[in-house]
Amino acid sequence: MSTEATMLERCESKCELCGAESALSPFIVSPHSQVTVDHAIMICETCNGQIENPETVDVNHWRCLNDSMWSPVPPVQVTAWRQLKKLSESEAWATDLLDMMYLEEDVAKWAEIGMDDDDEKPRDINGVELKKGDDVTVTKDLPVKGTNQVIKQGTVIRGISLGDDPRLVSGRANGQSMYVIAEFCRKK
């Protein structure tokens, strides 16, 4: 079964935020970048348009979050929390819903990461921001470009440095200086 078919089955062919039954499409919940069952939701054109263009928000449309915030699906919870957080700046009802909402610790971190104004920061496999001097552990075997060497899973890179490319971190491992893609590391 395809990813979209699995997601449509999960949501019973209804928008996972407002319950609309027409024109559903997958919406990837940042900071993720691929449509997967665990990182995307099925939403209608109205919800998608208002998320993508916050200046067009119809506040009353988002009262639907009163129901969808209780979804057991983490990406739905994250999206509901983010919308309520934005609406709570001007709407008391949104603040009340936020106060009632419960998120598991990892889901709460995911929700907060997406609220960052600057998404151009190096982040590890869990979405945690990496900073200069952090120690990281490599989460999978990585081939070293231009050689036949491999950086083994579990290798610790101590005191990383950051460059201009937010996807990369640099440091020393196994006696060599190297660049590693941040999303293949986990902050220690």
Side-chain angles (χ1 to χ4, degrees):
M1 186 180 296
S2 74
T3 301
E4 280 191 43
T6 304
M7 291 170 60
L8 283 169
E9 186 178 306
R10 174 182 76 194
C11 70
E12 299 174 349
S13 297
K14 295 179 183 172
C15 176
E16 293 187 87
L17 296 176
C18 74
E21 295 183 18
S22 61
L24 298 179
S25 60
F27 176 80
I28 302 167
V29 182
S30 66
H32 302 287
S33 58
Q34 294 182 346
V35 175
T36 67
V37 173
D38 295 329
H39 300 135
I41 60 176
M42 295 300 285
I43 61 175
C44 66
E45 288 179 357
T46 304
C47 288
N48 192 17
Q50 291 190 37
I51 290 172
E52 297 291 332
N53 303 304
E55 63 277 357
T56 66
V57 168
D58 172 10
V59 174
N60 288 322
H61 173 77
W62 292 108
R63 291 185 182 269
C64 62
L65 296 176
N66 187 37
D67 294 326
S68 57
M69 70 185 224
W70 301 111
S71 170
V73 180
V76 175
Q77 295 172 356
V78 167
T79 306
W81 185 88
R82 289 176 182 172
Q83 286 304 110
L84 287 171
K85 189 77 171 165
K86 291 174 186 172
L87 291 167
S88 69
E89 296 171 5
S90 61
E91 300 295 322
W93 63 266
T95 304
D96 293 342
L97 291 180
L98 263 180
D99 290 343
M100 287 190 289
M101 193 169 183
Y102 172 78
L103 298 176
E104 294 289 337
E105 186 177 335
D106 58 329
V107 176
K109 283 182 184 177
W110 179 10
E112 290 171 5
I113 287 168
M115 295 298 289
D116 287 347
D117 292 329
D118 184 11
D119 284 336
E120 292 296 316
K121 295 178 182 173
R123 298 195 181 277
D124 75 359
I125 194 166
N126 297 318
V128 176
E129 182 182 345
L130 298 173
K131 296 186 168 105
K132 182 178 180 179
D134 285 345
D135 295 340
V136 297
T137 304
V138 177
T139 59
K140 70 179 230 175
D141 289 353
L142 299 172
V144 178
K145 210 175 203 179
T147 72
N148 60 356
Q149 294 179 324
V150 173
I151 302 171
K152 295 288 188 187
Q153 177 180 349
T155 300
V156 176
I157 302 174
R158 300 196 185 280
I160 63 166
S161 298
L162 308 176
D164 293 334
D165 187 343
R167 295 176 303 133
L168 301 176
V169 297
S170 63
R172 293 186 66 78
N174 304 331
Q176 289 181 254
S177 291
M178 63 188 69
Y179 284 93
V180 178
I181 298 172
E183 68 185 45
F184 296 129
C185 298
R186 180 176 39 255
K187 186 174 178 177
K188 289 192 70 135

